[in-house]
């Protein structure tokens, strides 16, 4: 994309990434892409805030050079060391050796460890400011959003918060960077939730801390380093973060996330009847086949609904492996305190339920019920499965 002026002297100079298939090598963005937003402030001093992944360095540096001679750049602010925002750094400072790099004290250590950079690095403390002329930047240290070294940068004149990963979303920017100019805001909100659950949800307390810190900071424009720039309604995404981070401790909305697996259709047949039971009880239901749908898309539902139904057969004495792996990912992302139930087929000694219960305990899931059956379900068992689904769902209201 071409650079986009946000306010006089403040320009978005980011890049879309429509090449990477798995963000962090884990989370699918095959369909959606992602953006690395970088911002240029031209004042008495010239500043670049956050960069991009290394493979897009050429495109990024070219567009920066179109706007400003690189030897005129005074500062590069590194809000976060993760290479999706610093990949272009070595190339940039080779071309612009005068640049002073600004980050937290931990960033200084990481710059050495990641890139061998030790010179022209300035560590700033929480609340420290630098005067650019007409604009002033204030640094807001925000550890674990998303790494220990992370901070945000607040521009005081226009009241712009450059928040880096926080408030960001997957999804390449489709023709505009602004929340008021895209016609599919809902899609970006869903992608922000997916990003939150995949990347940020492990740290609900740091999110709460950062929100408290920002409570009295007037934000006219929220400019993260992934996804939309929120200028019409920055409060919208802040409120969403408030809600999502609370879901680590507060009850989620009544509803069922059903995750199932089946090798030969036995557990799947029961799943269909259980699903009918959930709908009989009048609860919202979303069904995922773990062998087909990446966890990236399931985590948003796990976070926002209070009930989980796990349906999977026994496999070599334990829970179907993909399902066990999914539950471990859910544990890593702190999808705690849900109400849960298990169903599944086995042919001889079983064992899936045992592993399910062990994993559910780690997740602090309250197991309300389980339903085991042997081989193919009978008509009676299907009827029982429907009742099992209805009873479970009615306890979620
Ligand atoms: C590779 C493999 C390993 C299995 N391991 C066990 C096992 O250890 N214990 C058991 O009771 N059943 C085991 N089973 C049997 C399945 O759990 C049983 O066939 C079940 O009905 C499959 O349900 P599904 O049609 O939903 O996949 C195994 C089946 C397969 C194919
Ligand atoms: Fe990050
Ligand atoms: Fe990032």
């Amino acid at each position: 994309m071409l650079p986009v002026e946000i306010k006089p002297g403040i320009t978005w100079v980011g890049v879309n990434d429509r090449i990477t298939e798995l963000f962090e090598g884990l989370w699918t963005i095959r369909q959606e892409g992602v953006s690395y937003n970088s911002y240029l402030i031209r004042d008495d001093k010239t500043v670049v805030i956050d960069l991009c992944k290394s493979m897009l360095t050429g495109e990024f540096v070219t567009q920066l050079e179109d706007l400003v001679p690189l030897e005129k750049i005074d500062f590069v602010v590194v809000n976060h060391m993760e290479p999706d925002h610093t990949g272009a750094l070595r190339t940039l400072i080779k071309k612009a050796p005068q640049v002073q790099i600004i980050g937290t004290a931990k960033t200084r250590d990481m710059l050495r460890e990641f890139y061998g950079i030790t010179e022209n690095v300035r560590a700033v403390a929480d609340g420290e400011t630098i005067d650019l002329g007409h604009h002033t930047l204030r640094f807001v240290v925000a550890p674990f959003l998303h790494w220990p070294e992370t901070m945000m940068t607040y521009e005081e004149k226009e009241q712009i918060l450059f928040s880096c990963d926080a408030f960001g979303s997957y999804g390449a920017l489709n023709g505009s960077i602004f929340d008021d100019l895209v016609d599919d805001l809902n899609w970006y909100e869903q992608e922000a939730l997916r990003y939150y659950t995949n990347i940020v949800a492990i740290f609900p307390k740091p999110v709460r801390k950062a929100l408290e810190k920002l409570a009295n900071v007037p934000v006219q424009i929220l400019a993260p380093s992934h996804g939309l720039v929120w200028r019409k309604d920055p409060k919208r995404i802040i409120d969403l973060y408030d809600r999502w981070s609370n879901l680590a401790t507060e009850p989620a909305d009544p509803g069922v996330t059903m995750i199932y697996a089946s090798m030969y259709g036995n557990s799947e047949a029961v799943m269909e009847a259980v699903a009918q039971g959930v709908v009989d009880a009048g609860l919202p239901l979303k069904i995922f086949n773990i062998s087909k749908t990446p966890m990236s898309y399931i985590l948003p539902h796990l976070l926002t609904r209070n009930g989980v139904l796990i349906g999977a057969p026994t496999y070599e004495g334990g829970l179907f492996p993909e399902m066990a792996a999914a539950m471990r990912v859910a544990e890593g992302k702190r999808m705690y305190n849900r109400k849960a139930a298990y169903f599944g087929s086995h042919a001889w000694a079983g064992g899936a339920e045992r592993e399910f219960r062990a994993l559910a305990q780690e997740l602090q899931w309250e197991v309300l019920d389980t339903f085991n059956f042997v081989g193919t379900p009978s008509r009676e068992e299907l009827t029982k499965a429907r009742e099992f689904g209805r009873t479970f769902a009615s306890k979620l209201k």
Side-chain angles (χ1 to χ4, degrees):
M1 283 174 76
L2 296 165
V4 181
E5 183 171 87
I6 296 179
K7 285 283 175 183
I10 304 180
T11 311
W12 176 91
V13 288
V15 286
N16 269 336
D17 177 356
R18 298 185 191 268
I19 303 160
T20 301
E21 302 212 356
L22 296 173
F23 192 79
E24 294 183 344
L26 277 172
W27 313 106
T28 176
I29 50 168
R30 226 164 253 133
Q31 300 287 330
E32 300 84 0
V34 69
S35 73
Y36 311 116
N37 302 339
S38 173
Y39 301 93
L40 172 68
I41 305 180
R42 282 170 291 180
D43 197 336
D44 295 345
K45 300 280 184 195
T46 301
V47 185
V48 182
I49 300 174
D50 294 331
L51 311 176
C52 67
K53 197 171 165 177
S54 65
M55 70 179 188
L56 292 160
T57 300
E59 182 186 339
F60 170 69
V61 171
T62 302
Q63 77 171 346
L64 204 54
E65 276 175 321
D66 279 350
L67 295 172
V68 63
L70 297 185
E71 63 272 16
K72 288 217 64 181
I73 299 173
D74 297 287
F75 303 110
V76 168
V77 174
V78 175
N79 278 323
H80 176 26
M81 270 299 297
E82 195 164 1
D84 56 332
H85 307 290
T86 59
L89 188 58
R90 272 173 65 93
T91 302
L92 185 63
I93 62 168
K94 230 178 232 166
K95 288 171 175 269
Q98 80 289 347
V99 158
Q100 189 172 54
I101 302 172
I102 295 177
T104 62
K106 285 201 179 75
T107 299
R108 189 178 45 200
D109 298 340
M110 287 187 174
L111 282 167
R112 188 185 61 242
E113 285 147 5
F114 275 73
Y115 301 116
I117 296 172
T118 52
E119 279 169 33
N120 287 340
V121 180
R122 173 167 161 194
V124 289
D126 188 36
E128 202 171 321
T129 58
I130 55 170
D131 187 358
L132 307 179
H134 301 281
H135 302 86
T136 303
L137 296 183
R138 180 148 56 90
F139 303 105
V140 182
V141 172
F144 294 103
L145 277 174
H146 142 234
W147 281 9
E149 85 299 357
T150 312
M151 66 177 192
M152 303 186 193
T153 300
Y154 180 67
E155 193 286 310
E156 294 188 336
K157 179 166 178 271
E158 306 285 1
Q159 304 185 327
I160 304 175
L161 182 67
F162 299 98
S163 59
C164 202
D165 278 351
F167 312 112
S169 80
Y170 297 132
L173 294 162
N174 295 315
S176 177
I177 68 166
F178 294 118
D179 60 342
D180 55 308
L181 292 182
V182 293
D183 64 0
D184 48 359
L185 194 59
N186 190 44
W187 182 75
Y188 283 101
E189 284 183 9
Q190 285 310 308
E191 288 302 310
L193 172 58
R194 194 160 71 91
Y195 183 87
Y196 176 84
T197 56
N198 294 186
I199 310 295
V200 186
I202 178 177
F203 303 119
K205 279 187 191 144
V207 174
R208 304 297 317 157
K209 270 206 182 118
L211 289 171
E212 278 164 31
K213 219 170 180 178
L214 295 172
N216 297 316
V217 178
V219 175
Q220 291 301 324
I221 299 178
L222 190 44
S225 290
H226 300 289
L228 288 181
V229 172
W230 302 77
R231 67 174 180 189
K232 183 179 173 218
D233 193 4
K235 199 172 170 297
R236 171 82 190 146
I237 187 73
I238 294 171
D239 287 347
L240 286 172
Y241 259 64
D242 185 39
R243 166 99 184 110
W244 297 337
S245 57
N246 268 329
L247 288 174
T249 46
E250 283 179 7
D253 292 336
V256 175
T257 307
M258 169 113 77
I259 315 173
Y260 83 97
S262 192
M263 297 180 281
Y264 295 109
N266 294 328
S267 304
E268 185 171 58
V270 162
M271 180 280 290
E272 304 284 12
V274 174
Q276 285 178 293
V278 172
V279 174
D280 289 342
L283 276 216
L285 167 71
K286 191 83 187 164
I287 301 172
F288 299 100
N289 181 335
I290 196 61
S291 304
K292 292 186 178 175
T293 308
M295 268 309 266
S296 180
Y297 294 107
I298 301 175
L299 287 168
H301 293 270
L302 274 179
L303 182 76
T304 52
R305 313 279 192 280
N306 66 348
V308 194
L309 275 165
I310 299 288
T314 294
Y315 188 98
E316 296 177 348
L319 184 61
F320 187 77
E322 293 278 304
M323 189 63 77
M327 289 181 71
R328 284 191 195 96
V329 173
E331 204 273 323
K333 300 303 175 186
R334 309 287 190 267
M335 302 292 149
Y336 293 156
N337 298 314
R338 299 292 177 267
K339 292 192 194 308
Y342 163 82
F343 61 89
S345 178
H346 64 276
W348 55 98
E353 179 180 334
R354 194 180 336 115
E355 190 173 359
F356 162 79
R357 281 192 182 275
L359 290 163
Q361 192 171 8
E362 283 178 43
L363 275 155
Q364 300 164 39
W365 287 357
E366 185 188 348
V367 180
L368 299 185
D369 205 356
T370 61
F371 177 48
N372 289 281
F373 58 99
V374 181
T376 305
S378 64
R379 301 312 290 175
E380 293 73 44
E381 281 169 326
L382 290 177
T383 305
K384 217 179 131 198
R386 184 172 186 163
E387 184 53 28
F388 165 86
R390 198 191 61 74
T391 310
F392 173 73
S394 60
K395 288 180 187 158
L396 302 174
K397 285 178 182 169

